[in-house]
Amino acid sequence: MSRSVRIRVPGTSANLGPGFDSLGCAFSVYNYLTFCEAEKTEIEGCPPEFSGEDNLALVAFRAAEKRAGRPACHVKIQVQTHVPSAGGLGSSATLLAGGAMGANALLGLGLDRKTLLDLVTELEGHPDNAAPALYGGLTASMMDNGHPVTVSLPLHESYRFCAFIPDFHTDTRAARRVLPKSVPHRDAVYNVSHALLLGAAFASGDTELLTLALHDRLHEPYRRSLIEGYDAVEEAALSRGAHAFFLSGSGSTLMAVYTDPEFPERVLPQISAMPHRWTVLPLLPDRDGACVL
Ligand code: HSE
């Protein structure tokens, strides 16, 4: 019988306000990828236009083979997605992390998690989704000579997250093009100080500090106008008990941090009445990251 492995990878949110390209968190929504030895390479569960050699899971599978010095082998990949695609919940990183981990497990490549992160970051371009997808929880990352350095940060158990997902997507490349090439020095200081105190607020469960610290001047002000309804969803969330609100990755998903379990029910009627059929998706942090099931 041919060998197979099944990988589970959490969706993620990147930036978390002031941590542009560095902070990320994994959540309890998952994509599943199964990798089987096969006579020919094929991909199931993706639309035909995404089932070729440029499929992200296959690209990462090939990159892991190459990193381990192995020739490309035939593989059948079955993809089961629950993470909304192109919505700011790290769906690309789930496929890349799943592909790299799938190759590692199926072929016994012996690559450690740090090497998988290096590989996925190179393919994705930045580590903020890749790191929590592989490590789980809240992660902070920086790039050093082209390689990611990541630490897991404490996240107080009282925090819950709620994703607001509209019926339209934003293109990450377009959302990066709207960012300025340079920013005023005071905005850089604003973000450094807010990101540092945000780390403390996430660790301690101090919701007042979280409310003060979770603000950004490096990307959200430039991207707000790409998300129709941003102001209205933010106002609805903050006036109904969310402690903080941010743009998830480059959007189009928006995200609230809350502690009262009744928050999603309280905010739902107003959000559902808005244009763009917003989905309200309560999420808990995922603590495991990508794993072989
Ligand atoms: N840090 C990235 C950005 C995340 O905001 O552009 C999206 O991939």
Side-chain angles (χ1 to χ4, degrees):
M1 216 177 83
S2 55
R3 262 174 40 78
S4 70
V5 295
R6 191 157 192 253
I7 312 287
R8 186 184 82 172
V9 193
T12 55
S13 181
N15 302 329
L16 305 179
F20 181 71
D21 273 2
S22 18
L23 276 182
C25 189
F27 294 112
S28 55
V29 57
Y30 299 96
N31 282 345
Y32 296 84
L33 297 96
T34 304
F35 299 82
C36 311
E37 290 175 342
E39 296 296 314
K40 66 178 181 111
T41 295
E42 57 180 324
I43 296 167
E44 285 179 2
C46 291
E49 64 271 30
F50 299 122
S51 298
E53 281 287 327
D54 56 354
N55 174 281
L56 293 180
L58 184 57
V59 166
F61 189 96
R62 295 275 177 252
E65 286 176 314
K66 197 168 168 197
R67 183 71 67 105
R70 298 278 192 91
C73 71
H74 284 302
V75 60
K76 179 174 169 182
I77 306 178
Q78 293 163 311
V79 183
Q80 248 185 306
T81 57
H82 301 280
V83 178
S85 62
L89 286 170
S91 62
S92 307
T94 67
L95 298 178
L96 292 170
M101 188 171 265
N104 200 34
L106 185 73
L107 308 175
L109 302 180
L111 303 176
D112 61 14
R113 215 170 271 257
K114 194 163 173 289
T115 306
L116 296 180
L117 175 63
D118 198 59
L119 196 149
V120 173
T121 300
E122 194 181 322
L123 294 170
E124 175 122 306
H126 33 83
D128 48 349
N129 284 119
L134 282 162
Y135 287 90
L138 178 66
T139 55
S141 305
M142 64 179 190
M143 296 301 289
D144 179 60
N145 279 322
H147 299 282
V149 178
T150 290
V151 294
S152 293
L153 297 180
L155 180 59
H156 197 270
E157 63 192 19
S158 59
Y159 288 127
R160 296 158 183 246
F161 294 78
C162 187
F164 301 98
I165 308 164
D167 63 0
F168 59 87
H169 298 321
T170 44
D171 173 39
T172 296
R173 276 166 303 181
R176 289 182 86 82
R177 276 198 299 272
V178 301
L179 303 179
K181 296 233 177 319
S182 59
V183 294
H185 192 266
R186 64 176 178 279
D187 286 354
V189 173
Y190 181 97
N191 264 60
V192 170
S193 54
H194 281 67
L196 286 167
L197 269 67
L198 180 61
F202 273 137
S204 63
D206 180 341
T207 54
E208 283 177 27
L209 184 61
L210 185 89
T211 301
L212 290 175
L214 209 160
H215 293 286
D216 163 77
R217 286 193 185 166
L218 291 187
H219 67 110
E220 288 186 359
Y222 307 101
R223 290 172 162 176
R224 278 184 100 88
S225 60
L226 302 176
I227 318 283
E228 200 185 320
Y230 193 128
D231 292 352
V233 176
E234 180 176 43
E235 202 280 321
L238 293 176
S239 65
R240 280 165 181 70
H243 302 298
F245 190 86
F246 60 92
L247 174 65
S248 185
S250 57
S252 53
T253 295
L254 303 174
M255 188 83 83
V257 191
Y258 67 99
T259 48
D260 176 355
E262 285 167 18
F263 166 76
E265 267 174 54
R266 219 167 34 239
V267 78
L268 184 62
Q270 194 174 349
I271 301 287
S272 328
M274 291 178 188
H276 292 302
R277 297 187 298 160
W278 293 81
T279 302
V280 175
L281 181 64
L283 295 167
L284 288 172
D286 162 88
R287 310 269 174 187
D288 301 324
C291 55
V292 182
L293 294 178

